[in-house]
Amino acid sequence: MISLHRRPTPSRWLSIAAPLFALLATAVFGWLLFAWLGKDPVAGLRLFFVTPMQSLRGISEIGLKMTPLLLCALG
């Protein structure tokens, strides 16, 4: 039977690498999805990652959508 054991000390390297890997995997799969649909992958990823950060309204929309997620994570 498989059993899980807690590490004595958390890995500092993995605590940094895991979120970076998740962001990279999201970008790669998004790129592939846009390419598969016949759309421009660069324009699509720019729309998701860059455009919302270019105006005050975009930043407030990010905060609006982020708040319930943070509250769920804290719960």
Side-chain angles (χ1 to χ4, degrees):
M1 179 176 268
I2 297 175
S3 63
L4 299 175
H5 299 279
R6 184 177 294 268
R7 293 177 182 221
T9 59
S11 172
R12 184 176 176 97
W13 183 83
L14 280 178
S15 67
I16 295 170
L20 292 177
F21 176 74
L23 183 62
L24 178 67
T26 300
V28 167
F29 286 120
W31 182 283
L32 292 173
L33 181 65
F34 282 119
W36 182 67
L37 292 172
K39 305 293 181 187
D40 181 21
V42 174
L45 292 175
R46 184 180 303 124
L47 182 70
F48 282 111
F49 291 115
V50 177
T51 304
M53 302 300 268
Q54 291 180 340
S55 69
L56 186 59
R57 185 175 191 282
I59 292 172
S60 67
E61 287 294 321
I62 290 172
L64 181 71
K65 291 179 172 62
M66 184 177 56
T67 302
L69 296 172
L70 288 174
L71 289 173
C72 288
L74 286 173

